[in-house]
Amino acid sequence: MRNARSFVLAVVAVMVAACADGGPTSPAGESPSFGVVGTEAQIRHQELKQQLATERARLKRERELGKEDFEIAEREWKAYREQLKRSKKLKDGWVVELLRCHPRPFEGDAEIIGPDGGTLHIGEHQLVIPRGALTEEQLIVAEATTSSLVDVEFSPEGLQFQRPAQLTVSYKNCDVPAGVDLRLVYLGVGNRVLEWPSSDDDRTTSEVTGEIHHFSRYAVAY
């Protein structure tokens, strides 16, 4: 009887020691893991969602505030057209650097886009970011302000893509001089053309589509 009791106590002692050492199923030198509440990627995603809600609310306000800008741009456009008629420059093929069109109301879009890619729609314009272009999630914001120029601005400014994104810009309702090829251009301060990305002009849809490797502001020119 005494031997049986001693054997039981010995077994219990071995089990307690095993538990204290991390258990027989735990690899040597490792402590048991009980999980971490929220990974770094999850925390970043939640932060981006909050920023996304803020940006979408701002874009909504911009649309409302942009109504007055649209009326101003309309008047400027009419004056521009009258000037062209008087000078007959449009008929004679007058070439300007940046294409000018009938003003459009403010348009904007915002999305959280990560390594899987995604698409933004900015009125009649579109940006397609392919899979693998981004290494982590980003809050992408696109704005087409009310102007006679055909341009779209993206943020975060300076964002680089691992693979080129495809930007399609619509120039419907524009006066395009005959015999010119429309191109996508990257604009700097003061509407200065900094780059001419590879692009194609589709006259059947009145759209210019090009590959861009970074942000932020692009326009149609010839």
Side-chain angles (χ1 to χ4, degrees):
M1 191 72 176
R2 181 178 299 175
N3 290 338
R5 182 179 180 186
S6 299
F7 176 78
V8 172
L9 291 175
V11 171
V12 172
V14 170
M15 293 177 64
V16 171
C19 291
D21 292 337
T25 59
S26 299
E30 292 186 8
S31 59
S33 174
F34 300 100
V36 179
V37 179
T39 64
E40 183 176 344
Q42 290 172 332
I43 294 174
R44 174 178 171 77
H45 182 73
Q46 291 301 318
E47 292 175 346
L48 289 175
K49 285 181 65 176
Q50 294 177 359
Q51 295 176 24
L52 176 62
T54 300
E55 281 297 330
R56 285 181 171 172
R58 183 184 66 81
L59 292 174
K60 184 177 180 180
R61 291 195 301 271
E62 288 289 346
R63 289 189 187 93
E64 293 299 319
L65 295 173
K67 292 179 180 179
E68 182 177 348
D69 293 335
F70 179 74
E71 294 176 357
I72 295 174
E74 280 271 8
R75 292 193 292 270
E76 292 176 348
W77 168 251
K78 290 178 180 178
Y80 170 77
R81 292 275 296 170
E82 287 300 319
Q83 179 184 354
L84 289 180
K85 290 178 181 178
R86 288 195 300 270
S87 62
K88 297 183 180 180
K89 288 181 178 179
L90 185 64
K91 180 179 179 180
D92 296 337
W94 180 44
V95 177
V96 294
E97 185 175 82
L98 297 177
L99 183 66
R100 292 186 177 274
C101 305
H102 188 280
R104 309 179 190 188
F106 174 89
E107 293 288 354
D109 193 12
E111 293 290 347
I112 297 173
I113 298 179
D116 289 337
T119 302
L120 279 82
H121 298 278
I122 316 96
E124 296 182 332
H125 313 312
Q126 176 179 272
L127 175 68
V128 178
I129 300 176
R131 180 187 296 271
L134 297 173
T135 57
E136 63 178 0
E137 286 189 328
Q138 297 281 352
L139 173 60
I140 308 296
V141 181
E143 299 179 62
T145 58
T146 296
S147 168
S148 60
L149 297 179
V150 188
D151 63 327
V152 187
E153 187 166 3
F154 300 94
S155 64
E157 184 176 355
L159 179 67
Q160 300 281 333
F161 296 115
Q162 303 297 315
R163 296 178 57 193
Q166 181 175 285
L167 175 60
T168 299
V169 180
S170 170
Y171 59 86
K172 294 177 182 177
N173 301 319
C174 296
D175 291 318
V176 181
V180 301
D181 294 322
L182 298 180
R183 297 282 304 274
L184 197 65
V185 295
Y186 172 58
L187 296 181
V189 177
N191 293 334
R192 187 163 64 94
V193 176
L194 301 179
E195 296 177 13
W196 293 73
S198 174
S199 60
D200 295 304
D201 178 17
D202 187 344
R203 292 298 174 91
T204 61
T205 60
S206 298
E207 293 176 334
V208 174
T209 299
E211 293 185 343
I212 65 173
H213 297 263
H214 57 80
F215 282 162
S216 59
R217 186 172 173 230
Y218 292 86
V220 176
Y222 60 93

